[in-house]
Amino acid sequence: MEPSTQKLIHTFGALADLGQEIAGRGDFSEMVRTSMHLLLGTLALRRGAVAECVDEGSLRCAAIWGLSDRLFNAFSMTESERNEFLNGEATEFLISNDATSNAFVTRYREGLRGEEIELVLPMIVRDEVTGLVLLGRKASGEEFSADDFDTIRAMVRHIGVGIHTRRLLEQVAQRAEENRRLYEELRTIYRATVRAFAAAIDIKDKYTQGHSERVGRYSEIIAREMGWAEEEVEGIQIAGYLHDVGKLVVDRDIINAPYKINAKESSELNRHPAAGYEILAPINHPYADIPLMAKYHHERLDGRGYPEGLVDEQIPLGAKIVSLADSFDAMTTDRPYRRRRSFEDVVRDLRENSGKQFDGKVVTAFARAILKEVNGDTKERRITKMLGKDYLQGDNVPTLLTDLIIDLTHKEAQKAQEAQKAKGQA
Ligand SMILES: [Fe+2]
């Protein structure tokens, strides 16, 4: 193999490696500099520079060697000069050749000669002049050979594509950033709207001030304890805020009845999950399943809930979480016809109704989250704050929670075993 061919292969090899780095490493100016040094080294040139066309025809130095930094300050490219490069046949211009009629080269010929630049090459990618490469003479004083020109063109093309790619990447990143910002803005507006909605629901029900907000927070805490991804946790918090949105269509007197409501009133009130679904379903929520969580937050595992009387595995996990959060808040806040229940009483209810009304796994997760706060295993005091600081003060609280967790975990394991057996028999 001829030495020049070997050199060429070597050069291309190095360039291929560099090309791969453009996207990956992100250090673009380093890539341009290294490419230019390779070009100078391969052909033994004393000086050279790479300039990038930036807005409105100015040129920015991307790499320079053996030339003064001020070189590019004086340069600009008019639109007609740019078009001449784009439409012309020539791919390179020799400064020493006075016959060159190229307007840009003619305009700067004297200055370029003064800097001992011998060759000017426009970098053209996809019908766009991305920049210029300026090269000095060979150190040996020899003229450029045809092979030299081939090498130079290939490398200049490579650098041009590199610059073009970087620009595209920058544009994409900018667009993505813009989209991200817009999306974030939309989400903020959405969340603010949801909270306003929740406040509106709670205002209608004068005895359950802040109920929807608390259900949202409890749901979020339970979902996080169950290992849900952050995006889903945000979603269930929203579902919690909105779970009772259907109450907006229920008669205010029924919602606020200071007595136990009769069957007719009760069936009117029980319309609210389905009504909530109707309200929420047409909205394009940024989170999954919000309408379904509202619809099924009064379903029970034993099928005695409403509106559809679904059983255990038919009920979405999110709805089970909201259901527990909802009931827990109902039990732990005062109502017009009763005081709130003691924590011991609430734990008894949760134990008794796990597997009937509530999902044992969900109750266990909630109990774990409460226990973490009670034991100080977390800095969070969100549950404590919602319940009022005295509510979880009892000495027996940690034991109540621990026993509940153990019992329910045991029950869940048994349930899983039975399901496995049933599967085996089937
Ligand atoms: Fe409800």
Side-chain angles (χ1 to χ4, degrees):
M1 196 185 291
E2 276 186 46
S4 64
T5 316
Q6 235 166 5
K7 204 163 65 184
L8 203 63
I9 289 170
H10 169 77
T11 310
F12 280 148
L15 279 173
D17 288 345
L18 284 167
Q20 281 187 348
E21 282 181 43
I22 298 175
R25 254 191 5 180
D27 192 347
F28 177 78
S29 37
E30 184 61 32
M31 194 283 297
V32 176
R33 265 200 300 277
T34 317
S35 300
M36 191 195 66
H37 289 160
L38 255 165
L39 176 51
L40 300 183
T42 310
L43 296 157
L45 309 181
R46 285 229 171 92
R47 52 186 64 83
V50 177
E52 193 184 343
C53 282
V54 284
D55 34 48
E56 298 306 310
S58 54
L59 289 158
R60 183 172 61 200
C61 178
I64 193 159
W65 181 258
L67 293 164
S68 104
D69 284 353
R70 290 182 312 249
L71 181 66
F72 290 105
N73 293 345
F75 281 173
S76 64
M77 201 186 287
T78 64
E79 202 179 325
S80 68
E81 285 168 347
R82 224 178 8 244
N83 288 334
E84 195 181 356
F85 278 132
L86 278 176
N87 303 323
E89 298 273 291
T91 51
E92 67 270 324
F93 302 89
L94 275 168
I95 299 299
S96 55
N97 179 4
D98 286 333
T100 302
S101 64
N102 178 281
F104 178 86
V105 175
T106 310
R107 186 150 70 100
Y108 292 113
R109 180 174 275 128
E110 285 319 305
L112 293 167
R113 271 190 182 149
E115 292 281 352
E116 295 187 48
I117 299 290
E118 174 58 10
L119 205 52
V120 174
L121 300 101
M123 293 182 284
I124 296 170
V125 183
R126 296 198 175 206
D127 283 336
E128 200 186 303
V129 183
T130 52
L132 289 176
V133 173
L134 310 178
L135 299 172
R137 287 180 170 281
K138 294 177 88 167
S140 61
E142 291 167 47
E143 298 291 319
F144 290 114
S145 69
D147 272 356
D148 290 341
F149 278 120
D150 284 344
T151 308
I152 291 170
R153 279 183 215 118
M155 294 180 112
V156 165
R157 168 109 195 120
H158 172 85
I159 299 170
V161 169
I163 290 177
H164 188 76
T165 308
R166 197 270 311 255
R167 275 191 197 162
L168 287 182
L169 287 175
E170 270 176 5
Q171 275 169 10
V172 169
Q174 211 175 11
R175 250 342 112 73
E177 172 58 24
E178 240 164 65
N179 282 346
R180 196 198 57 73
R181 205 177 42 75
L182 277 175
Y183 184 60
E184 201 39 59
E185 236 173 68
L186 273 180
R187 288 243 274 221
T188 309
I189 294 169
Y190 172 85
R191 276 196 289 258
T193 312
V194 163
R195 292 182 87 148
F197 230 157
I201 302 161
D202 290 347
I203 280 172
K204 195 164 180 190
D205 186 342
K206 65 178 177 183
Y207 298 112
T208 57
Q209 285 282 303
H211 169 70
S212 299
E213 177 96 25
R214 286 191 299 273
V215 172
R217 289 193 196 166
Y218 286 136
S219 301
E220 174 211 334
I221 291 167
I222 299 169
R224 188 168 285 128
E225 182 63 38
M226 293 186 86
W228 282 30
E230 204 45 40
E231 172 90 9
E232 296 170 317
V233 171
E234 274 178 35
I236 198 154
Q237 185 180 27
I238 300 287
Y241 287 155
L242 294 176
H243 75 286
D244 269 346
V245 72
K247 280 192 181 168
L248 291 174
V249 304
V250 176
D251 191 340
R252 186 185 284 266
D253 293 339
I254 295 177
I255 295 173
N256 289 316
Y259 52 84
K260 223 164 172 45
I261 50 177
N262 64 34
K264 189 165 167 265
E265 290 165 330
S266 177
S267 85
E268 168 70 12
L269 182 63
N270 291 0
R271 278 176 51 215
H272 80 272
Y277 178 80
E278 297 301 322
I279 294 172
L280 296 173
I283 299 171
N284 194 5
H285 304 273
Y287 307 98
D289 299 340
I290 306 256
L292 283 180
M293 294 191 218
K295 186 175 186 178
Y296 296 134
H297 79 273
H298 283 293
E299 295 290 354
R300 297 168 49 106
L301 268 66
D302 57 14
R304 289 173 49 225
Y306 59 93
E308 290 181 10
L310 301 181
V311 294
D312 192 354
E313 60 284 348
Q314 294 174 316
I315 308 168
L317 184 55
K320 290 174 173 177
I321 293 175
V322 175
S323 162
L324 175 65
D326 186 21
S327 300
F328 181 82
D329 187 62
M331 289 189 271
T332 54
T333 46
D334 294 336
R335 291 293 152 104
Y337 41 86
R338 59 153 177 79
R339 300 279 300 166
R340 70 167 165 180
R341 292 157 70 173
S342 71
F343 189 63
E344 192 167 351
D345 200 13
V346 170
V347 169
R348 190 177 308 126
D349 188 294
L350 295 179
R351 172 182 275 112
E352 226 160 72
N353 283 307
S354 283
K356 296 180 200 160
Q357 182 180 358
F358 308 121
D359 186 313
K361 289 188 291 297
V362 178
V363 176
T364 309
F366 196 17
R368 271 203 314 265
I370 303 172
L371 188 61
K372 276 182 191 169
E373 278 200 19
V374 171
N375 283 347
D377 294 338
T378 165
K379 279 196 196 116
E380 300 269 352
R381 286 290 172 271
R382 301 177 63 198
I383 303 172
T384 317
K385 253 187 213 154
M386 280 187 275
L387 292 168
K389 67 175 174 24
D390 297 332
Y391 192 68
L392 294 172
Q393 282 298 301
D395 290 341
N396 60 345
V397 167
T399 319
L400 283 171
L401 287 165
T402 312
D403 288 351
L404 179 65
I405 293 167
I406 293 171
D407 288 354
L408 292 184
T409 310
H410 184 68
K411 224 163 117 180
E412 282 301 311
Q414 250 177 351
K415 192 175 140 189
Q417 232 172 27
E418 276 159 26
Q420 196 67 34
K421 229 192 268 168
K423 218 169 139 195
Q425 282 166 358

